[in-house]
Amino acid sequence: MPKMTMVDALNTALHQEMEQDDSVMVLGEDVGVDGGVFRVTEGLLDAFGEKRVIDTPLAEAGIVGTSIGMAIFGLRPVCEIQFSGFSYLAFHQLEAHAARMRWRSRGAYTVPMVLRTPYSGGVRALEHHSESREAYWAHTPGLKMVIPSTPRNARALLISAIRDPDPVIFYEPKAVYRAFREEVPEEEETWPIGKAQVVREGEHLTMISYGAMMRPTLEAADKLAQEDDVEAEVIDVLTIAPLDHHTFAESAKKTGRVVIIHEAPRSFGPGAEIVARLIESSFWYLEAPIRRVTGYDVVIPLFAYEKAYLPSAGRVLAAARETLESPA
Amino acid sequence: MPKMTMVDALNTALHQEMEQDDSVMVLGEDVGVDGGVFRVTEGLLDAFGEKRVIDTPLAEAGIVGTSIGMAIFGLRPVCEIQFSGFSYLAFHQLEAHAARMRWRSRGAYTVPMVLRTPYSGGVRALEHHSESREAYWAHTPGLKMVIPSTPRNARALLISAIRDPDPVIFYEPKAVYRAFREEVPEEEETWPIGKAQVVREGEHLTMISYGAMMRPTLEAADKLAQEDDVEAEVIDVLTIAPLDHHTFAESAKKTGRVVIIHEAPRSFGPGAEIVARLIESSFWYLEAPIRRVTGYDVVIPLFAYEKAYLPSAGRVLAAARETLESPA
Amino acid sequence: MPREVVDLPYQVEYLSILDEDGHVLDEDLEPEIPEDRLLRLHRTMLLARRFDERMLHLQRQGRIGTFAPVRGQEAAQMGIVAALRESDWMVPSFREQAASLWRGQSLESFLLAYGGFYQGNELPGNQMPEGSRNLPVAVPVGTQPLHAVGLSYAIQYRGQDDVVVTFFGDGATSEGDFHEAMNFAGVFQTPTIFVCQNNQWAISVPRSRQTNSETLAQKALAYGFPGRQVDGNDILAVYVAAEEAAERARSGDGPTMIECITYRLSMHTTADDPSRYREEEEVEEWRRRDPLPRFQAYLKQRDMLSDSDIEEAEEEILGEIQDAIDGAEERMEELANEELSMFDHMYAEMPPYLREQRDQLARELGRKEGNDA
Amino acid sequence: MPREVVDLPYQVEYLSILDEDGHVLDEDLEPEIPEDRLLRLHRTMLLARRFDERMLHLQRQGRIGTFAPVRGQEAAQMGIVAALRESDWMVPSFREQAASLWRGQSLESFLLAYGGFYQGNELPGNQMPEGSRNLPVAVPVGTQPLHAVGLSYAIQYRGQDDVVVTFFGDGATSEGDFHEAMNFAGVFQTPTIFVCQNNQWAISVPRSRQTNSETLAQKALAYGFPGRQVDGNDILAVYVAAEEAAERARSGDGPTMIECITYRLSMHTTADDPSRYREEEEVEEWRRRDPLPRFQAYLKQRDMLSDSDIEEAEEEILGEIQDAIDGAEERMEELANEELSMFDHMYAEMPPYLREQRDQLARELGRKEGNDA
Ligand SMILES: Cc1ncc(C[n+]2csc(CCOP(=O)(O)OP(=O)(O)O)c2C)c(N)n1
Ligand SMILES: Cc1ncc(C[n+]2csc(CCOP(=O)(O)OP(=O)(O)O)c2C)c(N)n1
Ligand SMILES: [Mg+2]
Ligand SMILES: [Mg+2]
């Protein structure tokens, strides 16, 4: 079992899917000759040629709109937006067309495309390179929204996304890209879109997170076990939309206490929807208010203060302890 | 006190502010000669000339980006996007620049602009003409997001928005535009942005809504009083961001039961944030799960089925009764 | 060298074949279209005209909702699609009723869609029959040409020789997406035909205030491919321009932009009142260039059509339209209670939370269809 | 008439004044710039060059973060701003260090900003001093020209005669916002100068694959205003082109687009490795056209500058840069704990919920500044 970074794992998934299915196309800015600014598409041009691995002009709506046309034809475009902070230039193409073509044509035309884009802070980047605004897409009926957290689930989810018959926005946590390696089995794996994963079992507290925030979350869970004798159940959301609220509910009903962690701004963020679903499903089981540990409602600062902005294991731990202290 | 429709009231506010302040400009598609497709800008061209009332080319990013430049200069542009469903073509200008210019320049350059746009369903319109996606803007740090519900508060809020030193997205419920008349005092009124309004007092239940949904909400509240002997407190949110959660909390602590009503899609919608804030502020006071009565998570249907999509007084009533039935 | 003029190999050509009375201006340019095809074109043009008029009545009576009349632009649309194959793709905006009728869309499907039923997009023979190559209406102005570029890229990738035509208005040329589509097409030399229906108005904004360029056709020069103007009320000229563009595209020579100079004789949509922004004289002037009588005059000169043929066709068409209306209204009644269909076609498979919402609506509607429709 | 060529009054001119060795090609074109201004231009160009080199070292040492080197484009930027007034506005993208230094931005402000401190945008003498007319860096490619259009519309509305210059790259011309900005400027005849720094590359994508048009300048023709090319490594030619455009703009004749033909001699940003996509020979060829030695040769020919002058200036500049670095690093240390400032400047007044979040962060940081900073 080779140990891979998330970049390697994503690259492997692309190679494999392009190999198996000649309708899979890759397009975007600098994805060809340069192999993508994070090298996720490295080697694809050599392997599959410039008809399938397309360096496009610098135009995000152009990339997405062209992908929509290709997908309607029956291809499976996997387009890259260089940073999620630039995906809003294509917002209307996603909202008005990718998300609606199946609906509008009553199933006659479909848009099986994937939009890959790096999100998340913590890599000392320039303005617009560190945002987490997955809630925009999650609030858009017709789109699916996926965020992996490790090399292994990144590969599995990207394969599932490419094979999915509907448009999938695929956020890649760039802080995880090369942060660590994980064993990824040789044989193909997929992970169902729409399914969360319980990655740590526990009975005292439920922690719900995803993407780059899984690391501080798991770190906090370990600390709780070591220092507080508390076993936290940790859920990796994986698919932001459609949200797997049954898995959340099951856990919340068991533990009665929930903390949600994400780096997106708090207000109107993904955490709010998770709270609302839990209230709908599990209100009578809750023993403490659900807490959100999130980015603040400000523009994520340039890198000098990024650490203070991003939820840390310490912040998660503090929120977990407060939640545990609430009277039962 | 003249009785006005919301269109009249908005038109009055624009006339008045343009009269008083020659830095107020109006621009957009068909806002000049045609007076706007809903006639909200009627008469402005004649009164203030084509330098200040500008029929622009058909380009939403162009309208918003130009407004940003004008605002940086020190003008107060009030731009119109013909339907909110087309505002996403300018999403990046709003997210990347309008919302951030003050922050980026550390206060040196500011963007005191208003983006007016009709939203809401219920007027037998074509596709893309009936959306409610206020959550997109509410989740964007740096923007303010306002939705009036009656002629009187529309005039007051539009004046406040124009004078506000920050960018304000101003959604106009087109279903209310000409639906009824209300007395609007001759003298100028403003309403603070960031403040919700308790429009009906009550002690048994809190109903939180805004925009076009205030009417079915108030209708349901009346029915509750008449048929169930229940006094519902009704809160008109008015400003979606920044959200006035203190007003919600005060009411929830009193009633212990809350229903939230909006026509936006449910998942990741404004209701979720209101739930989350209430859980943070008022968890221990709640006697029933908070319920959301919302649009479904689908593309709002063409008009034949729009009525089934939009929350009705009946749906609100049913949710209110369920909430009241929960064991105390 | 100090100050020199850069050599640019461009010019914009204007093409017309019929004069306002339907006389051929230059016989060398007259396309060879078989008589039966010419007559079919006439028949469809007449149908489009009468259907437009009838829809306007229905709208005024509240029997359907808003739509965008096509009156005056029939030749500009039909000349294009008449020059294409069935296997070519069409990517329309929202005013292409004439082109769509030629490409096989049924009258009923229009009536249902403008009646507020998305099922209008489901009927057999409508804009999206099995294997259809007509995309549905795109309301957001200027956003659909990119889909045409993606489709045509895919066609080329698959080694096919179909082409893709996309329609948009003069106003649409101001949108950023138009620019990005033109640029992608130029860079990738896709088999795309960009057809601008320059009908002189974008709601209340006249062509002259939409952009400062002399022609819209010259915009193609910014992307390194040919742009041309054509008299859009002259179906023969439009046909010839489309044929030439299609040939270029099929033989791998890339995209073309065609600016059809035409006029919207009716209102923008049924929600619009053009008297607020344009003079009746202007409309009157363009009425004299109406593409329908012009085409009829041409066919008469060629002895292909007589007044009595026209009368006969008119009568037939009125019947056809009435049947369609009757059918559509019956269908609308049948469909009136199918609200639950709003959950269909959001995704290939309905996710659990949508199923839950659907069940909720079903309960509310007091119906039984909750679980496995 | 049948087939005719539409008369379009356009051509694209290419302008150059200095040859690669700094000789004047045509003395009639040589601009009259006072000697002290020429020498100030040289001094700033040298400063920009050395500062760029030094920032690269700092970045490699991890003392600052990512930035986009300007090397090779100094003349293309400075020739433009040198022809403007102080009261004119500049709307830059993210590579305009040379232009910004000329317009008064301090070295420290760059170091702070690229050091991850937004306070870099607050220092006196930086890009945003009181009454400054330089907008901050715009990272999203092609989105800022619209702000230039809005500013210039406002200038005209207020009856002022300032102009607005906006800088962007060859890649930026592909974005829809570029198109919308050009179109608005053409329609409203705003006093805007669109300066395309065509440095041949947009990260790894060469100019030839960015668009299929022969020149970028010709894109202006699509909007009905003049576009011209200029040798962007020839500061005199750039100056003359900017002067002419500014004159047009000030006298109410509307916008101009200037395409500066130049070259990015360094990497795209410090995160980029250009050896992945371009040949060293190409870079070598352009090094021979380096704008700095060329300008120096010109000044020497005019006996305004000697080798020892240059040496002296070099030495002075190194000291100046070192002082700036020392100052900036000290400032960064001072600022290191001012995280709470992230809540400032989001709105004119901090809304209650932000104040609550700020208090929360303050508690977490264990500091006292919670309530009324
Ligand atoms: C992106 C977008 N903005 C605004 C509108 C509202 N709108 C519908 S049609 C139209 C004018 C279109 O003009 P043109 O492109 O010339 O087409 P025409 O209506 O003349 O056929 C406008 C502004 C829209 N549908 N989409
Ligand atoms: C909207 C947007 N898309 C993508 C990027 C990432 N990016 C930064 S610079 C750049 C290339 C810009 O090329 P060009 O316009 O030629 O300017 P240059 O870098 O050559 O100065 C890209 C793709 C961005 N900053 N903004
Ligand atoms: Mg038009
Ligand atoms: Mg470049």
Side-chain angles (χ1 to χ4, degrees):
Chain A
M1 293 220 286
K3 281 207 152 204
M4 289 187 183
T5 63
M6 186 182 280
V7 167
D8 299 334
L10 292 165
N11 184 262
T12 304
L14 288 168
H15 265 283
Q16 180 198 311
E17 290 303 290
M18 290 192 81
E19 189 75 56
Q20 285 182 14
D21 180 355
D22 72 1
S23 66
V24 178
M25 317 285 279
V26 162
L27 65 160
E29 294 157 16
D30 308 292
V31 298
V33 177
D34 202 35
V37 295
F38 287 104
R39 311 287 175 249
V40 173
T41 55
E42 173 128 42
L44 296 178
L45 177 66
D46 283 347
F48 304 104
E50 65 171 24
K51 283 274 159 214
R52 290 183 67 193
V53 182
I54 310 163
D55 274 323
T56 66
L58 209 177
E60 286 72 17
I63 293 166
V64 173
T66 300
S67 298
I68 292 170
M70 289 176 168
I72 291 170
F73 184 89
L75 302 183
R76 293 190 169 261
V78 181
C79 70
E80 173 176 311
I81 297 295
Q82 208 159 75
F83 290 89
S84 68
F86 308 130
S87 58
Y88 319 133
L89 284 89
F91 204 107
H92 56 290
Q93 284 290 345
L94 290 161
E95 194 278 335
H97 297 302
R100 292 166 178 254
M101 193 55 76
R102 175 189 291 280
W103 174 89
R104 181 181 301 142
S105 70
R106 310 315 290 162
Y109 297 118
T110 63
V111 184
M113 68 178 275
V114 178
L115 185 154
R116 292 183 36 247
T117 190
Y119 90 103
S120 93
V123 300
R124 286 172 65 86
L126 293 166
E127 200 194 338
H128 306 283
H129 290 69
S130 308
E131 278 66 25
S132 300
R133 300 281 173 86
E134 55 277 12
Y136 291 152
W137 314 119
H139 186 52
T140 304
L143 298 181
K144 297 181 177 179
M145 209 298 122
V146 168
I147 308 188
S149 61
T150 73
R152 187 168 171 180
N153 64 32
R155 192 188 63 160
L157 278 164
L158 184 54
I159 293 175
S160 296
I162 293 172
R163 297 181 188 172
D164 197 273
D166 288 306
V168 179
I169 311 292
F170 193 88
Y171 265 27
E172 299 172 0
K174 67 175 100 59
V176 179
Y177 265 160
R178 297 177 189 283
F180 61 92
R181 291 175 179 273
E182 183 184 28
E183 294 199 344
V184 179
E186 294 282 1
E187 60 278 15
E188 175 189 305
E189 285 185 322
T190 59
W191 182 269
I193 289 178
K195 232 181 108 27
Q197 186 179 19
V198 177
V199 293
R200 188 185 194 290
E201 298 203 2
E203 45 185 338
H204 302 122
L205 173 74
T206 301
M207 295 165 98
I208 304 178
S209 188
Y210 53 89
M213 288 297 105
M214 284 304 290
R215 297 219 295 158
T217 300
L218 286 166
E219 201 183 315
D222 285 344
K223 277 247 170 67
L224 283 173
Q226 288 156 20
E227 299 176 8
D228 304 39
D229 225 1
V230 161
E231 289 307 325
E233 181 140 306
V234 178
I235 299 176
D236 189 342
V237 178
L238 294 174
T239 299
I240 312 300
L243 207 51
D244 180 10
H245 61 267
H246 294 293
T247 296
F248 309 153
E250 215 173 295
S251 181
K253 285 178 182 165
K254 179 170 68 177
T255 66
R257 298 170 195 268
V258 183
V259 177
I260 300 161
I261 303 97
H262 61 63
E263 59 184 293
R266 177 172 315 165
S267 290
F268 303 88
E273 180 61 27
I274 297 174
V275 172
R277 300 255 185 130
L278 284 169
I279 294 304
E280 283 154 8
S281 66
S282 318
F283 179 76
W284 301 110
Y285 298 83
L286 293 177
E287 292 167 19
I290 302 169
R291 279 185 176 72
R292 295 184 284 174
V293 181
T294 68
Y296 299 107
D297 288 327
V298 300
V299 176
I300 180 170
L302 300 188
F303 63 83
Y305 303 142
E306 222 182 0
K307 230 182 110 195
Y309 176 90
L310 294 171
S312 60
R315 264 172 82 191
V316 177
L317 196 60
R321 286 179 176 150
E322 276 181 71
T323 303
L324 288 160
E325 276 160 22
S326 285
Chain B
M1 294 219 288
K3 282 206 150 203
M4 290 187 181
T5 64
M6 185 180 280
V7 167
D8 301 333
L10 293 165
N11 185 263
T12 304
L14 288 168
H15 265 282
Q16 180 197 311
E17 290 302 291
M18 290 192 81
E19 189 74 57
Q20 286 182 14
D21 180 355
D22 73 358
S23 66
V24 178
M25 317 285 281
V26 161
L27 65 160
E29 294 157 17
D30 308 291
V31 297
V33 178
D34 203 34
V37 296
F38 287 104
R39 310 285 176 251
V40 173
T41 56
E42 172 128 43
L44 297 177
L45 178 65
D46 283 346
F48 304 104
E50 66 171 22
K51 283 274 159 214
R52 290 184 67 193
V53 182
I54 311 163
D55 274 323
T56 66
L58 211 176
E60 286 71 19
I63 293 166
V64 173
T66 300
S67 298
I68 292 170
M70 288 176 169
I72 290 171
F73 183 89
L75 302 182
R76 292 188 171 264
V78 181
C79 70
E80 173 175 311
I81 297 295
Q82 208 158 75
F83 290 90
S84 67
F86 307 131
S87 58
Y88 319 133
L89 283 88
F91 204 106
H92 56 290
Q93 283 289 344
L94 291 161
E95 193 279 334
H97 298 301
R100 292 166 179 253
M101 193 55 76
R102 176 189 290 280
W103 174 89
R104 181 181 300 143
S105 71
R106 309 315 291 163
Y109 296 119
T110 63
V111 184
M113 68 177 274
V114 178
L115 184 154
R116 292 182 38 247
T117 190
Y119 91 102
S120 93
V123 300
R124 287 172 65 87
L126 293 166
E127 198 193 342
H128 306 284
H129 290 68
S130 309
E131 277 67 23
S132 300
R133 301 280 173 87
E134 54 277 12
Y136 291 152
W137 313 118
H139 185 53
T140 304
L143 298 180
K144 298 180 176 179
M145 209 296 123
V146 168
I147 308 187
S149 62
T150 74
R152 186 167 172 181
N153 64 32
R155 192 188 63 158
L157 278 164
L158 183 54
I159 293 176
S160 297
I162 293 173
R163 297 182 189 172
D164 197 274
D166 288 305
V168 178
I169 311 292
F170 193 89
Y171 265 27
E172 301 172 358
K174 70 176 98 60
V176 179
Y177 265 159
R178 300 178 187 281
F180 61 92
R181 291 175 178 272
E182 183 184 26
E183 295 199 344
V184 179
E186 293 282 2
E187 60 276 15
E188 176 190 306
E189 286 185 322
T190 58
W191 182 268
I193 289 177
K195 232 181 107 28
Q197 185 177 21
V198 177
V199 294
R200 187 185 195 291
E201 298 203 4
E203 47 185 334
H204 302 123
L205 172 74
T206 301
M207 296 166 98
I208 303 177
S209 188
Y210 54 89
M213 290 296 106
M214 283 304 291
R215 297 220 296 159
T217 300
L218 286 166
E219 201 182 316
D222 285 345
K223 278 249 168 70
L224 282 174
Q226 289 156 21
E227 298 176 10
D228 302 40
D229 224 1
V230 161
E231 288 308 323
E233 181 140 305
V234 178
I235 299 176
D236 189 343
V237 179
L238 293 174
T239 299
I240 311 301
L243 207 51
D244 180 11
H245 61 266
H246 294 295
T247 297
F248 308 153
E250 217 173 294
S251 180
K253 285 178 182 165
K254 180 169 70 175
T255 66
R257 298 170 194 270
V258 184
V259 176
I260 300 161
I261 304 97
H262 62 64
E263 59 185 292
R266 177 172 315 165
S267 290
F268 303 86
E273 180 62 25
I274 298 175
V275 172
R277 298 255 186 130
L278 285 170
I279 293 305
E280 281 154 7
S281 66
S282 318
F283 179 75
W284 301 109
Y285 298 83
L286 293 177
E287 292 168 19
I290 302 169
R291 280 185 174 71
R292 295 183 284 174
V293 181
T294 68
Y296 299 106
D297 288 328
V298 301
V299 176
I300 180 169
L302 300 188
F303 64 83
Y305 303 142
E306 222 182 0
K307 230 181 109 198
Y309 176 89
L310 294 170
S312 60
R315 262 173 83 190
V316 177
L317 197 61
R321 286 180 175 149
E322 274 181 72
T323 303
L324 289 160
E325 276 162 22
S326 284
Chain C
M1 295 295 83
R3 251 189 219 276
E4 67 178 13
V5 173
V6 180
D7 197 32
L8 300 174
Y10 296 135
Q11 51 185 40
V12 170
E13 235 183 49
Y14 176 86
L15 178 70
S16 74
I17 297 178
L18 296 178
D19 71 11
E20 293 188 14
D21 303 318
H23 297 113
V24 173
L25 291 165
D26 176 348
E27 293 194 354
D28 289 347
L29 293 175
E30 191 179 354
E32 281 177 30
I33 308 176
E35 177 166 347
D36 62 328
R37 197 166 176 86
L38 282 171
L39 290 177
R40 266 220 302 135
L41 278 170
H42 170 256
R43 177 68 162 66
T44 306
M45 197 187 282
L46 200 59
L47 175 66
R49 177 64 60 95
R50 298 298 166 243
F51 186 51
D52 207 59
E53 291 164 353
R54 194 63 197 279
M55 289 231 290
L56 191 52
H57 283 126
L58 293 175
Q59 194 279 334
R60 293 309 190 222
Q61 297 168 333
R63 289 158 74 188
I64 63 170
T66 314
F67 78 99
V70 66
R71 189 184 195 91
Q73 300 179 218
E74 296 90 344
Q77 298 179 3
M78 293 181 52
I80 300 286
V81 289
L84 300 185
R85 301 178 185 163
E86 266 192 40
S87 61
D88 294 328
W89 291 76
M90 177 172 84
V91 180
S93 70
F94 48 79
R95 200 187 293 284
E96 279 72 40
Q97 290 88 306
S100 301
L101 286 173
W102 177 260
R103 301 260 311 166
Q105 186 170 348
S106 72
L107 300 178
E108 291 86 339
S109 71
F110 285 113
L111 292 165
L112 274 187
Y114 291 121
F117 289 88
Y118 37 54
Q119 291 90 341
N121 297 344
E122 261 171 2
L123 287 179
N126 78 346
Q127 51 193 352
M128 272 141 306
E130 198 64 52
S132 153
R133 293 187 159 185
N134 307 333
L135 256 50
V137 157
V139 170
V141 169
T143 58
Q144 77 282 7
L146 278 166
H147 311 159
V149 174
L151 281 166
S152 49
Y153 189 101
I155 286 169
Q156 213 168 40
Y157 168 63
R158 286 300 190 201
Q160 303 171 358
D161 73 344
D162 296 320
V163 306
V164 184
V165 64
T166 180
F167 287 103
F168 51 89
D170 44 310
T173 64
S174 293
E175 289 284 5
D177 281 22
F178 161 76
H179 170 74
E180 300 188 11
M182 294 282 282
N183 193 43
F184 273 55
V187 167
F188 298 117
Q189 291 288 297
T190 53
T192 325
I193 308 176
F194 293 91
V195 180
C196 179
Q197 304 271 304
N198 175 1
N199 64 5
Q200 312 305 328
W201 292 91
I203 309 188
S204 71
V205 177
R207 155 66 188 83
S208 60
R209 299 201 47 152
Q210 193 61 244
T211 183
N212 197 41
S213 68
E214 283 74 9
T215 69
L216 299 176
Q218 80 200 59
K219 292 185 185 290
L221 313 187
Y223 311 99
F225 63 82
R228 66 190 317 182
Q229 282 191 324
V230 59
D231 179 344
N233 288 3
D234 169 357
I235 191 168
L236 298 190
V238 176
Y239 182 93
V240 168
E243 213 176 26
E244 291 175 7
E247 216 168 275
R248 267 181 57 83
R250 272 189 236 291
S251 51
D253 293 334
T256 303
M257 171 170 171
I258 301 172
E259 176 188 358
C260 295
I261 310 285
T262 181
Y263 196 78
R264 157 164 68 73
L265 286 172
S266 192
M267 60 277 290
H268 168 67
T269 66
T270 49
D272 175 53
D273 171 11
S275 74
R276 296 176 64 92
Y277 53 77
R278 71 184 187 186
E279 301 295 332
E280 185 51 30
E281 292 88 82
E282 180 185 298
V283 186
E284 198 43 56
E285 205 177 296
W286 279 94
R287 254 184 225 120
R288 268 180 279 134
R289 301 181 210 154
D290 187 327
L292 178 59
R294 203 151 148 196
F295 187 34
Q296 290 177 333
Y298 167 75
L299 294 174
K300 285 180 191 169
Q301 283 154 35
R302 288 195 56 186
D303 286 327
M304 291 176 176
L305 192 74
S306 67
D307 283 333
S308 69
D309 291 342
I310 296 178
E311 256 172 63
E312 207 173 297
E314 293 270 16
E315 202 160 316
E316 234 181 74
I317 281 171
L318 290 184
E320 198 180 320
I321 293 174
Q322 191 54 53
D323 289 349
I325 295 172
D326 294 344
E329 296 201 320
E330 199 171 308
R331 185 105 176 84
M332 289 195 235
E333 260 176 63
E334 286 166 23
L335 290 172
N337 295 328
E338 307 236 336
E339 299 97 337
L340 292 180
S341 64
M342 75 172 78
F343 293 94
D344 299 341
H345 299 304
M346 284 303 302
Y347 299 94
E349 258 186 82
M350 199 181 294
Y353 73 107
L354 272 192
R355 190 163 287 280
E356 290 158 23
Q357 293 186 5
R358 186 182 183 281
D359 292 348
Q360 191 187 334
L361 177 58
R363 279 193 304 277
E364 199 178 301
L365 296 169
R367 308 214 186 98
K368 298 274 165 292
E369 308 95 315
N371 263 311
D372 41 25
Chain D
M1 295 297 81
R3 249 190 221 275
E4 66 179 14
V5 173
V6 181
D7 197 33
L8 300 175
Y10 296 136
Q11 51 184 39
V12 170
E13 236 183 50
Y14 176 87
L15 177 70
S16 74
I17 296 179
L18 295 177
D19 71 9
E20 292 189 12
D21 303 318
H23 296 112
V24 173
L25 291 165
D26 178 346
E27 293 193 353
D28 290 347
L29 293 175
E30 192 180 354
E32 281 178 29
I33 307 177
E35 177 167 348
D36 63 327
R37 197 167 174 85
L38 281 171
L39 291 178
R40 265 220 303 134
L41 279 169
H42 170 256
R43 178 67 164 64
T44 306
M45 198 186 281
L46 200 58
L47 175 64
R49 178 64 59 95
R50 297 299 167 244
F51 186 52
D52 207 59
E53 291 165 352
R54 195 61 198 279
M55 289 232 289
L56 191 51
H57 282 126
L58 293 175
Q59 193 279 334
R60 293 309 190 222
Q61 294 168 333
R63 289 158 73 188
I64 62 170
T66 314
F67 78 99
V70 67
R71 188 183 196 92
Q73 300 178 217
E74 295 91 345
Q77 298 180 1
M78 293 181 51
I80 300 286
V81 288
L84 299 186
R85 299 179 185 163
E86 265 191 41
S87 61
D88 293 328
W89 290 75
M90 177 172 85
V91 181
S93 70
F94 48 79
R95 200 188 293 282
E96 279 74 38
Q97 289 89 306
S100 301
L101 286 173
W102 177 260
R103 302 259 312 167
Q105 185 170 349
S106 71
L107 300 178
E108 291 86 338
S109 72
F110 285 113
L111 292 165
L112 275 187
Y114 291 121
F117 289 89
Y118 35 55
Q119 291 91 340
N121 297 344
E122 261 171 3
L123 286 181
N126 77 345
Q127 52 193 353
M128 271 139 308
E130 200 62 53
S132 153
R133 293 188 158 184
N134 306 332
L135 257 50
V137 158
V139 169
V141 169
T143 59
Q144 77 282 6
L146 278 166
H147 310 160
V149 173
L151 282 166
S152 49
Y153 189 100
I155 286 170
Q156 212 166 41
Y157 169 64
R158 288 299 191 200
Q160 303 171 356
D161 73 343
D162 295 321
V163 306
V164 184
V165 64
T166 181
F167 288 103
F168 51 89
D170 44 308
T173 64
S174 293
E175 289 284 5
D177 280 23
F178 161 77
H179 170 75
E180 299 189 12
M182 295 281 283
N183 193 43
F184 273 53
V187 167
F188 298 117
Q189 292 287 297
T190 54
T192 325
I193 309 176
F194 293 91
V195 180
C196 179
Q197 304 270 304
N198 175 0
N199 64 5
Q200 313 305 328
W201 291 91
I203 309 187
S204 71
V205 177
R207 157 62 188 86
S208 59
R209 298 201 48 153
Q210 193 62 244
T211 183
N212 196 42
S213 68
E214 282 75 9
T215 69
L216 300 176
Q218 81 201 57
K219 292 186 184 289
L221 313 186
Y223 311 99
F225 62 83
R228 66 190 315 184
Q229 282 191 324
V230 58
D231 179 345
N233 288 2
D234 168 357
I235 190 168
L236 299 189
V238 175
Y239 182 93
V240 168
E243 214 175 25
E244 291 175 6
E247 216 168 275
R248 267 181 58 83
R250 273 191 235 291
S251 51
D253 293 335
T256 303
M257 172 170 171
I258 300 173
E259 176 187 0
C260 295
I261 310 286
T262 180
Y263 195 78
R264 157 163 69 74
L265 286 173
S266 192
M267 60 278 289
H268 167 66
T269 67
T270 49
D272 176 51
D273 171 10
S275 74
R276 295 176 66 91
Y277 53 78
R278 70 183 187 188
E279 300 295 331
E280 185 49 30
E281 291 89 80
E282 181 186 297
V283 186
E284 199 42 57
E285 206 177 295
W286 278 93
R287 255 185 223 119
R288 269 182 276 134
R289 299 180 213 155
D290 188 327
L292 178 59
R294 203 152 149 195
F295 188 33
Q296 291 178 330
Y298 167 74
L299 293 173
K300 285 180 192 171
Q301 283 156 35
R302 289 195 56 189
D303 285 329
M304 291 175 175
L305 192 73
S306 68
D307 282 334
S308 70
D309 292 342
I310 298 178
E311 256 171 63
E312 210 174 295
E314 293 269 17
E315 202 160 316
E316 235 180 73
I317 280 170
L318 289 185
E320 199 181 319
I321 293 174
Q322 190 55 52
D323 290 349
I325 295 172
D326 294 344
E329 295 202 321
E330 200 172 308
R331 186 105 175 84
M332 289 195 234
E333 260 177 61
E334 285 164 25
L335 291 171
N337 295 327
E338 308 237 333
E339 298 96 338
L340 292 180
S341 65
M342 76 172 76
F343 292 94
D344 300 340
H345 299 304
M346 283 304 302
Y347 300 94
E349 259 186 82
M350 199 181 294
Y353 74 106
L354 271 191
R355 191 163 286 280
E356 290 159 23
Q357 292 186 6
R358 185 180 182 283
D359 292 348
Q360 192 187 334
L361 177 57
R363 278 194 304 277
E364 198 179 302
L365 296 170
R367 305 210 189 102
K368 299 272 164 293
E369 307 96 314
N371 264 311
D372 41 24

